Amino acid sequence: MSSKGNKTLGKGRKSSITHLEELIIGWALELREVGIGISYSRLQVRACQVDENFRSKPKEQQYHTIRRLCMSNELVVRRGTNVAQDPPQQAIDQAREWLEEIRPFISVPDLAQIYIINMDQTPLPFSLASQSTLELRGTRSVTIRQSGNSKTRATASLAVAADGSKLKPMIIFKGEPRGTIATRELPVSQYANQLALCCQPAAWQDNENMLMWIDECLVPHIQQRADGAPVVLFLDHFRCHYSDTVKAKLDTIGVQSKLIPKGCTSVVQPIDVGVNKPFKDRIKSQWWEWMIGFGEDGGNIPTPSREDVQHWVIEAWNSIGAHIIQNAWRKTDLSYFPEE
């Protein structure tokens, strides 16, 4: 019998698909790194996609096999938290050690801060209504108006440089990459010159649209540099950020990519540290103004259009000042540039 303090208590027998750990658990951790919810069922589907033998097993057996694999890797079911929690000391210590290695690398005289760049993705829900509201005490029915199809979402790929400048934003809408939306609607958008626009079936950043981001957002930002001048791009451990094709593309244009350690993005990724929140706050403010524009008659409110979302992103991005971005790179004690 296992002792009370034994960490293996309740894990059951060893999973029969440990050979798939990197493809399944690694994929799951990448999704969690960018805040995407996962479940046993989602991992079950993933395992069926990558392993024919697993796909031939009964559904119930598949589920329990995935569950055992998750338990053996310390993946457990948790409720989402509404309030950001302080990062564990281990993550802070790891981030500090990583920055000690990075600072000399980005402090060389020929590396201009305009070419020290961080890129990341953030979700763009089409409805931003809060789940709580002020209401008179004793009210039995508390309704909160939302725009139609409140679960629709897109993804914004944002990038900022250490000098406070911003790269062109990309918006990834849900749809087929070569479908009607991507080939007919988005190219003629009135905002097509100010944004990189594309579609992906789940509205995620993937390898194909990551290459598009490099061409349409990164290359224009660095094209004025002197011949041979270095460029550094900081990315998190999302799979498409370090695929072979993406790395080859970056090498071709002379960009060195540096991966931020897993679990440390909340303390050393500039976009996470100081850009995402003001950006989202500005998006939400515009969404509320759009909602109020439908009046107070309680009628049905439509789903925002893709052009509405594009407009909000442009307005929000343009209003992010250089000082906000610079502060994100120069966070006290965890700064990329501690001497400034």
Side-chain angles (χ1 to χ4, degrees):
M1 180 180 294
S2 299
S3 64
K4 186 175 180 180
N6 194 327
K7 292 184 178 180
T8 63
L9 185 65
K11 289 186 178 180
R13 68 180 185 274
K14 186 178 180 181
S15 170
S16 62
I17 55 169
T18 53
H19 63 289
L20 295 177
E21 279 192 21
E22 183 176 350
L23 288 174
I24 299 174
I25 301 301
W27 178 75
L29 294 177
E30 287 175 0
L31 294 184
R32 289 305 306 135
E33 187 76 24
V34 294
I36 297 173
I38 57 174
S39 64
Y40 293 139
S41 297
R42 176 170 285 190
L43 297 189
Q44 183 178 341
V45 171
R46 173 67 171 173
C48 288
Q49 292 172 337
V50 300
D51 188 271
E52 185 176 347
N53 291 331
F54 182 85
R55 187 164 61 246
S56 65
K57 297 178 184 293
K59 295 296 183 184
E60 186 175 352
Q61 184 179 349
Q62 290 177 2
Y63 177 86
H64 289 294
T65 301
I66 288 294
R67 186 172 180 272
R68 284 195 298 273
L69 182 66
C70 288
M71 293 177 68
S72 67
N73 283 274
E74 305 296 332
L75 276 179
V76 296
V77 177
R78 295 286 307 276
R79 289 186 62 86
T81 53
N82 293 323
V83 179
Q85 300 175 342
D86 292 334
Q89 188 61 44
Q90 181 180 358
I92 295 175
D93 292 342
Q94 184 181 3
R96 189 173 285 116
E97 291 178 6
W98 179 75
L99 281 172
E100 289 296 327
E101 298 176 2
I102 288 296
R103 285 169 184 151
F105 178 79
I106 62 174
S107 298
V108 294
D110 59 340
L111 178 55
Q113 290 187 0
I114 191 174
Y115 301 132
I116 302 173
I117 301 164
N118 173 222
M119 178 267 204
D120 194 27
Q121 299 79 37
T122 188
L124 289 174
F126 278 40
S127 179
L128 294 154
S130 172
Q131 297 303 307
S132 59
T133 181
L134 295 174
E135 183 57 275
L136 293 173
R137 189 186 303 276
T139 301
R140 299 190 61 175
S141 179
V142 180
T143 58
I144 300 177
R145 296 177 73 188
Q146 298 197 32
S147 52
N149 201 3
S150 59
K151 294 185 179 180
T152 303
R153 60 180 288 276
T155 295
S157 295
L158 307 175
V160 296
D163 70 334
S165 58
K166 297 167 290 192
L167 282 67
K168 178 193 290 188
M170 167 181 271
I171 304 180
I172 307 164
F173 292 106
K174 187 174 182 178
E176 292 300 322
R178 292 162 190 80
T180 302
I181 297 172
T183 60
R184 297 186 182 182
E185 176 187 325
L186 299 183
V188 298
S189 166
Q190 62 178 311
Y191 306 111
N193 292 330
Q194 302 173 67
L195 298 164
L197 301 169
C198 65
C199 287
Q200 199 271 348
W204 292 354
Q205 188 97 62
D206 63 11
N207 196 69
E208 181 176 344
N209 56 47
M210 182 67 188
L211 295 173
M212 176 182 172
W213 177 84
I214 293 172
D215 286 333
E216 297 195 17
C217 303
L218 179 59
V219 169
H221 181 80
I222 66 175
Q223 64 183 358
Q224 299 300 323
R225 61 178 169 154
D227 187 36
V231 178
V232 179
L233 175 63
F234 289 101
L235 300 165
D236 62 26
H237 276 76
F238 196 37
R239 183 180 297 274
C240 67
H241 290 168
Y242 57 90
S243 70
D244 290 341
T245 51
V246 166
K247 288 191 291 186
K249 180 80 169 182
L250 293 174
D251 287 344
T252 298
I253 61 174
V255 174
Q256 302 177 67
S257 62
K258 295 289 183 180
L259 294 180
I260 297 171
K262 292 181 179 180
C264 297
T265 55
S266 64
V267 290
V268 291
Q269 175 152 252
I271 288 181
D272 280 350
V273 169
V275 178
N276 270 342
K277 187 180 188 306
F279 173 75
K280 290 180 178 179
D281 287 346
R282 287 159 171 76
I283 293 284
K284 188 167 187 176
S285 177
Q286 292 180 86
W287 177 82
W288 272 116
E289 291 183 9
W290 177 84
M291 284 277 287
I292 292 171
F294 287 94
E296 303 176 1
D297 58 5
N300 293 330
I301 298 177
T303 302
S305 69
R306 281 178 285 272
E307 286 215 345
D308 286 330
V309 174
Q310 293 169 47
H311 174 73
W312 299 341
V313 168
I314 290 170
E315 292 296 313
W317 197 232
N318 287 344
S319 69
I320 300 290
H323 67 286
I324 293 176
I325 297 170
Q326 290 170 337
N327 287 342
W329 285 90
R330 295 160 177 79
K331 182 179 179 182
T332 304
D333 189 42
L334 290 170
S335 172
Y336 283 76
F337 309 99
E339 297 179 0
E340 295 186 5

